[in-house]
Amino acid sequence: MSRRRSVRLHQIDEYCWEIPPSSGMRVPGRIFASERLIRDIKTDKSVEQVANVAYLPGIVGASLAMPDIHWGYGFPIGGVAATDPAKGGVISPGGVGYDINCGVRVLRTELRKEDIEGHVPRLMDALFDTVPAGIGSSNAIKPLSVVEMQKLLSAGAEYVVRDRGMGSEEDLKHTEENGCLADADPGHVSERAIERGRRQLGTLGSGNHFLEVGIADRIFDSRSAATLGVDKGTVCILIHCGSRGLGYQVCDDYLSVMNRAVIKYGIELPDRQLCCAPIESKEGAAYLRAMACAANYAWANRQVITHLARKCFMETFSIGPKDLGMRLIYDVCHNVAKFEEHTVDGQLRTLCVHRKGATRAFPAGDLRIATDLRAIGQPVLVPGDMGRASYVLIGAPGALKHTFGSTCHGAGRVMSRAQAKRESRGRDLFGEMAQRGVTVRAAGRRTVAEEMPYAYKNVADVVDVMAGAGVSDKVFRLKPVGVIKG
Amino acid sequence: MTTSGYREIDHTADVGFEIWADSIPGLFAEAVLALSEVCYERTAVLWAEERSMEVRGTDPEEQLVRWLQETYLQLESGLWLTAAATNVVVKGEMVKGILHGEPIDPARHTLHSEIKAITYHGLKIVREHGLWRTTVVVDV
């Protein structure tokens, strides 16, 4: 691996650090962080990766990073880059990631904290038995035929709700893009990708993916929380996963295409993982159509898991759907590239916004938000580590001014997986989590070791930076009581 | 340092390995061992069956990525664990070899983590002090 290159960083205001453009960088880099967070950020190669992203042709404004930034591959995790198709702007699969439309959804219920006390282990057993997790997880539902897969890739969560009866129109309304990216064309998805996806619908996978049951324990904005159907003591469910093997294969397939495209179009990049093609090129257009299919698969996947979770809750507590009241608060993607209109230097431009470990965060009044949420702003779901807390935020006006309508997506790792495993040796990890009041069910001990709370930044520090910068505001906090890990 | 081997390196979000061998085919065989460490307890996997594997790539880095992707798919799609790779041959754009392993037996095998992909991040195969070396970052 290449040696670390020195990158200058200077503070421009309380919450923002800038990397001035140097040779090859077309725009500056900007990292949103506090004094405390920037010290950790400087310890890995993520700052260098912010500078590398600034090399992309057609990048607009700045190569941005949210406060949960950490070292990824190509793009940093927590990176945002907007490119202009009209000015030779590129699309980079590395700016989306392998797990296309990895994302989070949060559901609220009519259940209160006291309703589930004493039942959490039984509930987590039921969820663990029903939602496949871990390596090679598959067959949550009957495998789809190739024809069914093609319908799903075109229609996303709509296919699961309307053709398979797994969910409601209300679920679609509260999913980013209503659960379906336009321009999806299954003709640009390889047979191997479709084959990998056929058996994996409704599964979590492993790594940092999870299904979590939590209690709203702090309300910061009672008006917005009430609009979302939450008050102190409300039981909620978080689901974090993506497009599974289908999305990974789409990314792999198009990295090969893009590796040739950079030679064809004479694009010079500091890291091969940033390979890209002009949005207006044949290669760029094909990737965008395939990426939309993978994004649609991910929304369908989270919708099927939602359906399975609803069944588990109803069976465990012997209640019907009305008493359960499990309604989708919102579903956001945090690995995606989308065309959005943004005002740059007073001009409205259509840009391709890459969010690699970053979440869309449109403010109140934005016409792109569902009508029943428009008065408060778009909900943003920020999972923390499995022992501390997660946050529900809403987009604020500063997001459109500073970050192309983007905010953070999680706590962000502070410790490598190798170091986290070393720290866990000889420890009763499940017992430690139980002492914190969290019941953990996992397919493997090693994943739990890598995902222990000490491996992550404190998510409270991350969301406070975004609030301080005027990008997103806190609505409520969720304290986990049960977690399923892959 | 031995003439072939691998070691895990610190990477914040994902898993990285430094791999070395005295030949390119040896490097590809070692990379299979490194990859298996991420996914399962390799020492418990028997050499009970053989599978031939062949991939193509336009340069050594693309060949290595595709070689490891194909090895991983034996597990994800075929529920088959690889213990080792032998008879690796690299000729022009082609890489071929024999995988040794067996189907997953939940009673004997401990599975760890799924992988999403073998990345190109910082990937470069180089020759240093008589050994072939590379660093592979795996997205998990």
Side-chain angles (χ1 to χ4, degrees):
Chain A
M1 187 162 293
S2 57
R3 209 162 274 150
R4 187 177 300 196
R5 117 175 157 247
S6 164
V7 177
R8 281 191 302 134
L9 198 59
H10 69 262
Q11 191 166 9
I12 56 173
D13 66 34
E14 189 179 354
Y15 296 109
C16 191
W17 272 256
E18 185 164 280
I19 307 165
S22 59
S23 65
M25 288 174 67
R26 296 165 194 265
V27 291
R30 278 191 204 122
I31 300 173
F32 288 84
S34 61
E35 293 266 6
R36 178 159 25 150
L37 289 173
I38 202 76
R39 279 198 294 274
D40 283 333
I41 291 166
K42 285 176 176 172
T43 61
D44 67 20
K45 291 191 178 182
S46 53
V47 176
E48 186 180 328
Q49 291 186 316
V50 176
N52 289 347
V53 170
Y55 282 64
L56 292 176
I59 188 168
V60 175
S63 163
L64 299 168
M66 305 297 108
D68 48 333
I69 177 181
H70 53 282
W71 182 17
Y73 45 86
F75 269 60
I77 315 292
V80 175
T83 54
D84 188 342
K87 301 212 166 161
V90 294
I91 173 75
S92 172
V96 173
Y98 287 94
D99 197 0
I100 296 165
N101 188 4
C102 183
V104 189
R105 61 172 48 190
V106 177
L107 301 114
R108 54 79 66 197
T109 70
E110 287 292 324
L111 296 172
R112 316 289 308 166
K113 181 184 177 188
E114 50 277 16
D115 295 327
I116 65 166
E117 267 168 359
H119 301 288
V120 175
R122 192 163 59 89
L123 173 64
M124 299 319 292
D125 286 339
L127 288 165
F128 191 60
D129 286 343
T130 307
V131 181
I135 197 163
S137 50
S138 57
N139 298 325
I141 60 170
K142 190 176 158 223
L144 274 65
S145 68
V146 172
V147 172
E148 288 169 331
M149 280 293 290
Q150 286 170 339
K151 285 184 189 168
L152 180 147
L153 296 180
S154 299
E158 274 179 28
Y159 169 77
V160 171
V161 169
R162 293 179 187 163
D163 290 33
R164 306 295 287 257
M166 296 181 182
S168 66
E169 293 295 321
E170 201 68 19
D171 292 340
L172 299 177
K173 266 172 53 187
H174 282 194
T175 302
E176 191 170 328
E177 303 293 339
N178 298 316
C180 179
L181 264 189
D183 298 328
D185 181 353
H188 289 280
V189 177
S190 68
E191 282 178 25
R192 173 172 272 187
I194 288 176
E195 189 54 37
R196 289 180 75 175
R198 282 181 54 228
R199 291 168 203 284
Q200 292 187 330
L201 196 66
T203 64
L204 277 179
S206 65
N208 62 355
H209 294 166
F210 62 80
L211 186 155
E212 184 174 298
V213 177
I215 313 282
D217 74 334
R218 277 194 74 183
I219 307 292
F220 303 97
D221 171 355
S222 51
R223 172 181 161 256
S224 298
T227 302
L228 302 177
V230 171
D231 62 2
K232 194 171 175 182
T234 299
V235 174
C236 295
I237 297 97
L238 286 92
I239 297 165
H240 176 211
C241 60
S243 49
R244 311 286 290 114
L246 181 135
Y248 317 157
Q249 189 66 47
V250 165
C251 185
D252 263 336
D253 291 341
Y254 280 92
L255 283 174
S256 297
V257 173
M258 298 299 182
N259 269 321
R260 293 174 215 348
V262 291
I263 298 166
K264 179 177 170 184
Y265 296 106
I267 299 168
E268 288 190 21
L269 297 166
D271 184 349
R272 187 169 176 175
Q273 191 71 37
L274 291 172
C275 61
C276 55
I279 292 162
E280 302 288 356
S281 68
K282 185 179 73 170
E283 295 88 346
Y287 169 71
L288 282 162
R289 291 194 176 105
M291 184 210 73
C293 289
N296 291 348
Y297 183 94
W299 276 313
N301 190 37
R302 293 196 286 275
Q303 186 64 40
V304 173
I305 293 173
T306 299
H307 172 73
L308 298 173
R310 282 176 172 142
K311 278 175 66 178
C312 271
F313 268 76
M314 288 191 287
E315 284 166 16
T316 301
F317 295 103
S318 302
I319 53 176
K322 196 173 168 201
D323 288 335
L324 176 60
M326 191 187 282
R327 293 203 312 268
L328 181 58
I329 290 178
Y330 211 68
D331 178 307
V332 291
C333 37
H334 53 228
N335 278 7
V336 79
K338 294 202 311 194
F339 291 99
E340 295 170 1
E341 287 190 332
H342 289 279
T343 302
V344 182
D345 299 330
Q347 278 194 320
L348 192 64
R349 290 159 73 176
T350 300
L351 304 176
C352 178
V353 182
H354 298 68
R355 297 191 178 98
K356 172 77 176 67
T359 312
R360 195 185 76 172
F362 288 161
D366 195 293
L367 298 178
R368 295 167 285 192
I369 305 173
T371 47
D372 61 331
L373 299 172
R374 209 168 282 163
I376 60 167
Q378 179 216 305
V380 175
L381 321 167
V382 185
D385 60 73
M386 62 182 169
R388 277 181 281 206
S390 297
Y391 284 80
V392 173
L393 320 175
I394 45 170
L400 293 180
K401 286 185 199 146
H402 307 304
T403 58
F404 298 107
S406 314
T407 190
C408 56
H409 88 306
R413 289 190 73 90
V414 71
M415 187 183 282
S416 73
R417 290 181 182 276
Q419 192 186 344
K421 278 183 285 189
R422 289 193 292 272
E423 293 280 333
S424 76
R425 279 185 197 137
R427 291 168 63 164
D428 173 14
L429 303 177
F430 291 83
E432 285 180 33
M433 292 304 296
Q435 278 192 334
R436 287 172 176 256
V438 185
T439 301
V440 178
R441 298 285 181 265
R445 183 191 183 276
R446 192 189 281 186
T447 306
V448 176
E450 292 174 359
E451 294 290 320
M452 285 297 278
Y454 47 73
Y456 282 87
K457 299 172 193 176
N458 186 348
V459 68
D461 295 340
V462 171
V463 297
D464 282 345
V465 168
M466 293 278 81
V471 168
S472 51
D473 294 320
K474 294 186 284 189
V475 179
F476 65 90
R477 187 177 79 171
L478 285 170
K479 168 82 179 71
V481 294
V483 180
I484 291 175
K485 296 292 292 182
Chain B
M1 187 175 276
T2 55
T3 55
S4 65
Y6 62 88
R7 68 178 185 92
E8 187 173 354
I9 57 166
D10 279 342
H11 184 281
T12 317
D14 298 302
V15 177
F17 284 98
E18 186 186 345
I19 305 160
W20 62 92
D22 56 8
S23 66
I24 292 268
L27 193 75
F28 279 53
E30 283 297 327
V32 166
L33 302 183
L35 179 70
S36 65
E37 292 289 332
V38 182
C39 305
Y40 49 87
E41 209 66 57
R42 181 174 52 82
T43 51
V45 182
L46 302 175
W47 292 38
E49 298 175 5
E50 290 182 0
R51 290 186 174 188
S52 299
M53 195 168 76
E54 183 175 324
V55 298
R56 303 187 84 80
T58 53
D59 56 42
E61 287 80 15
E62 189 175 74
Q63 287 172 329
L64 181 60
V65 166
R66 291 193 171 168
W67 172 254
L68 292 176
Q69 283 167 348
E70 206 62 34
T71 303
Y72 176 70
L73 284 176
Q74 308 296 320
L75 168 56
E76 187 197 279
S77 306
L79 301 178
W80 196 85
L81 303 178
T82 302
T86 61
N87 299 79
V88 181
V89 175
V90 181
K91 196 172 176 187
E93 292 194 347
M94 183 264 310
V95 183
K96 66 178 183 179
I98 307 288
L99 298 184
H100 304 267
E102 60 173 328
I104 292 176
D105 175 354
R108 284 192 298 114
H109 297 136
T110 304
L111 301 181
H112 300 316
S113 184
E114 182 179 86
I115 69 158
K116 292 174 184 164
I118 316 300
T119 78
Y120 286 94
H121 175 48
L123 181 63
K124 196 88 196 147
I125 296 175
V126 296
R127 190 165 166 81
E128 278 177 1
H129 310 299
L131 291 178
W132 291 94
R133 295 176 177 281
T134 194
T135 302
V136 176
V137 174
V138 178
D139 184 8
V140 294

